[in-house]
Amino acid sequence: MSAERQSEHEDVDDRLTEAIATAVEASLSYELDDEARQVLRDTAKRHQQLARKLRETPLTNADEPDFVFVPFRAEG
Amino acid sequence: MTTSVYNRTIGELGAMLRSGETTPTELTRMYMERLDTVAREYNAVVTITEERALREAATAEAELAAGQDRGPLHGIPWGAKDLLAVEGYPTTWGAEPFRNQSFDTDATVVRHLRDAGAVLVAKLSMVELAGGMGYRQPNASLTGPGITPWAADTSPSWSGGSSSGSGSAVAAGTVGFAIGSETWGSIVTPAAFCGITGLRPTYGRVSRHGAMALSWTLDKLGPMCRSAEDCALVLAAIAGHDPDDPTSSRRDFVWPTAHRSRGFRFGVLSDATLGVQPEVRANFEASLAVLEEMGTVDIVKLPDLPYNETATAILQGELAASFEEFMTSGDVRQLTAPEDRVNGLAALALPAHVYIRAMRIRGLICRAMDELMENVDALVIPTLPTVASPIDQAFDRYFDRSNRSPLGAAANVAGLPGIAVPNGFGERGLPTSLSFVGRAWDEATLLAIGRAYQERTHWHTRFPLE
């Protein structure tokens, strides 16, 4: 990966990470201390990297998620 | 040398009961006393289910005396990982906030074992919330760090998790067998570190009704025992469709099968011993020599797919749903391990499309693994790259997680069965372990492999305590 592309990824990662961490903090009924806030951001950043790795696997529209929804109907 | 009653297999204990050498009540009392003394030294016990145990033992005694034989588990003392609901007793999930939680009904697995005549003697300790919050060191349970009974005096080491108490209790001879669970490693890891045999069944083979849900599409319940044969006997009792668990399969599990000890086809992963400790490598290579007596051994390579990332995304997405309120309310701050109080929070904002993408890739992984295994009965690998880590060390200080084979992730994402059997000893006198991963629904072949391996080796007859 070129240095420029790497830099673009990191920039997006940082903005997304901050947005995600802010969203999580907003959902909590309590405040995090500085250490916890950093752990949250570090984890969120790893999730960005994880998501990018998953996007490297090509999928077609026909590749369905591996669960099957079956409409329910009671017996009788 | 006569094997201590505490280290005997289910078959051996059953023979003692039927010959009159002991009775279910006597055996139960002996095991409960050992649980209350020995097992507590390894932080393996949450609750001894004394009243229920004595009642079940008395029933088993009367039934056996009257000629009503429910099968090989009749009268055998067993322990339940403390994420299984048992009526009348706390079910703590290993977590301080749930210390007093109880349910008014038995989990389906517990009910099956009661119907098989087994005697529940204890709820066994576990890593809090089955490790889903991302623990990084052994002290991650309301009962303290799980300790393997091996070399505990000279080099106290982690039992493995999250089925920590199940592993230690079986190894220490304080239960005849145990039921553990695995989302990603939680049966095979303690089986390895405690030197016992653990079976992770195919996803859907055993009902999860009444078990704490961490990750609905990854969680499996399975037996942890002193031998592969014992695992087969237990699986036969607990497998089967359950209307209360719509993911449970109607496929039959048949045991015993015709005795098969050779003619197996093994696929050894090409990077199986990358980064493993020297003794782990040496014991693995010695194991391969045994496998060559049992069949053919070929080198295979995992297809290039994002196994770890897929497993992580699925686990994170599902645990965020399982424990959303637990985290947002702040109850998560009561967990024992400091990292468990914060590590899971980011999962609350994992985008749905990331989870669903992982579930789409999951389908590719399932088909790729099945294709890989078309010409083999089992993939073979060291269960873990190291022996158990010291009890006072964070895991990352002892082993580099990047050395861990992606087969664990691949197998759990694909819902494939696996069995871990002891295969020697390594650093600090601690056990090493060998894993076989089978095709979906082929536990019978895996168990036959485990049994055949154990007929040729005797690591499973070595015990840390008499």
Side-chain angles (χ1 to χ4, degrees):
Chain A
M1 183 187 298
S2 69
E4 189 178 320
R5 188 80 186 265
Q6 177 80 15
S7 176
E8 281 175 14
H9 280 314
E10 285 174 4
D11 185 45
V12 170
D13 281 356
D14 288 345
R15 286 186 285 135
L16 273 171
T17 295
E18 190 54 37
I20 286 167
T22 302
V24 171
E25 288 190 74
S27 73
L28 301 179
S29 63
Y30 58 101
E31 288 201 16
L32 298 178
D33 62 23
D34 288 344
E35 189 179 340
R37 295 182 79 236
Q38 188 57 52
V39 170
L40 171 58
R41 280 151 178 79
D42 290 343
T43 312
K45 188 158 189 174
R46 281 200 298 277
H47 285 175
Q48 298 308 309
Q49 294 159 352
L50 177 155
R52 191 175 325 112
K53 181 74 177 174
L54 292 177
R55 285 193 291 273
E56 288 175 7
T57 299
L59 295 171
T60 70
N61 182 261
D63 288 314
E64 301 212 350
D66 198 52
F67 52 76
V68 179
F69 170 66
V70 178
F72 175 79
R73 177 171 169 153
E75 296 294 315
Chain B
M1 183 189 298
T2 307
T3 305
S4 157
V5 66
Y6 301 110
N7 292 325
R8 295 199 180 182
T9 63
I10 291 170
E12 290 166 343
L13 292 173
M16 292 176 70
L17 292 172
R18 287 163 182 77
S19 70
E21 193 176 339
T22 187
T23 67
T25 301
E26 181 179 65
L27 194 64
T28 294
R29 286 192 186 281
M30 290 169 66
Y31 270 77
M32 287 197 295
E33 185 185 344
R34 192 165 165 106
L35 277 162
D36 203 24
T37 51
V38 173
R40 290 201 192 278
E41 292 176 18
Y42 309 113
N43 294 328
V45 180
V46 186
T47 308
I48 295 175
T49 54
E50 182 174 356
E51 188 270 331
R52 177 174 176 139
L54 290 174
R55 181 162 32 89
E56 290 183 339
T59 300
E61 201 157 310
E63 288 178 342
L64 284 170
Q68 288 171 248
D69 196 327
R70 291 177 182 257
L73 304 186
H74 207 169
I76 306 298
W78 72 282
K81 183 175 182 178
D82 205 19
L83 47 61
L84 290 171
V86 172
E87 186 182 0
Y89 291 95
T91 298
T92 69
W93 297 352
E96 188 59 51
F98 300 102
R99 178 183 283 273
N100 298 313
Q101 172 177 249
S102 64
F103 299 96
D104 60 5
T105 185
D106 287 347
T108 297
V109 157
V110 175
R111 183 167 46 79
H112 281 325
L113 288 169
R114 184 196 65 209
D115 292 344
V119 177
L120 177 64
V121 288
K123 305 297 291 301
L124 300 174
S125 61
M126 57 182 281
V127 176
E128 55 200 0
L129 306 184
M133 295 298 156
Y135 70 117
R136 301 248 171 96
Q137 40 83 20
N139 191 13
S141 173
L142 65 83
T143 44
I147 301 170
T148 174
W150 292 95
D153 292 338
T154 53
S155 181
S157 304
W158 185 42
S159 60
S162 63
S163 308
S164 45
S166 300
S168 296
V170 171
T174 60
V175 291
F177 66 92
I179 298 295
S181 76
E182 175 155 334
T183 301
W184 186 356
S186 293
I187 286 177
V188 299
T189 302
F193 287 170
C194 294
I196 64 167
T197 304
L199 176 74
R200 177 192 66 240
T202 308
Y203 176 85
R205 176 66 83 185
V206 178
S207 169
R208 294 175 296 109
H209 178 70
M212 180 202 88
L214 169 61
S215 177
W216 292 280
T217 70
L218 286 170
D219 295 343
K220 284 82 63 185
L221 301 176
M224 299 175 70
C225 305
R226 293 195 256 282
S227 70
E229 174 74 28
D230 281 5
C231 284
L233 296 175
V234 176
L235 184 63
I238 63 175
H241 178 64
D242 177 13
D244 287 327
D245 177 0
T247 68
S248 60
S249 174
R250 294 181 189 279
R251 288 174 184 254
D252 286 334
F253 169 71
V254 179
W255 190 271
T257 60
H259 197 102
R260 181 183 173 193
S261 64
R262 58 182 70 250
F264 299 105
R265 304 165 301 166
F266 299 106
V268 175
L269 291 196
S270 55
D271 57 355
T273 55
L274 188 66
V276 307
Q277 288 177 330
E279 297 89 350
V280 171
R281 176 179 290 109
N283 293 346
F284 183 71
E285 289 169 357
S287 296
L288 291 184
V290 176
L291 298 187
E292 282 166 355
E293 296 172 12
M294 292 166 55
T296 58
V297 179
D298 293 308
I299 305 295
V300 298
K301 190 174 183 304
L302 278 183
D304 185 19
L305 287 165
Y307 304 106
N308 286 319
E309 292 81 2
T310 302
T312 300
I314 293 170
L315 174 54
Q316 293 289 302
E318 293 182 3
L319 84 87
S322 315
F323 292 105
E324 179 187 0
E325 286 179 15
F326 178 73
M327 288 192 276
T328 57
S329 71
D331 286 348
V332 68
R333 292 175 296 178
Q334 298 175 50
L335 291 179
T336 299
E339 66 273 21
D340 279 352
R341 301 168 195 160
V342 295
N343 277 359
L345 295 180
L348 292 170
L350 188 79
H353 64 83
V354 174
Y355 171 78
I356 293 176
R357 188 174 188 93
M359 291 295 274
R360 295 169 73 194
I361 294 172
R362 186 175 207 170
L364 302 183
I365 289 173
C366 287
R367 289 187 287 281
M369 291 299 292
D370 195 58
E371 190 178 322
L372 175 68
M373 299 189 66
E374 249 176 8
N375 298 311
V376 299
D377 293 309
L379 301 174
V380 190
I381 196 163
T383 305
L384 289 159
T386 69
V387 298
S389 53
I391 199 67
D392 58 352
Q393 272 190 29
F395 305 141
D396 288 351
R397 277 191 59 202
Y398 187 68
F399 65 88
D400 181 355
R401 286 187 183 216
S402 65
N403 283 334
R404 195 155 176 180
S405 168
L407 179 59
N412 278 290
V413 164
L416 300 179
I419 188 168
V421 297
N423 74 336
F425 292 89
E427 196 177 283
R428 294 177 282 124
L430 293 165
T432 63
S433 177
L434 181 68
S435 266
F436 302 94
V437 172
R439 281 184 98 169
W441 312 111
D442 202 9
E443 290 90 339
T445 299
L446 271 189
L447 289 160
I449 288 171
R451 180 177 58 187
Y453 179 80
Q454 289 179 338
E455 285 170 348
R456 288 172 169 78
T457 64
H458 298 284
W459 301 114
H460 65 294
T461 64
R462 300 275 292 274
F463 308 107
L465 308 167
E466 285 303 318

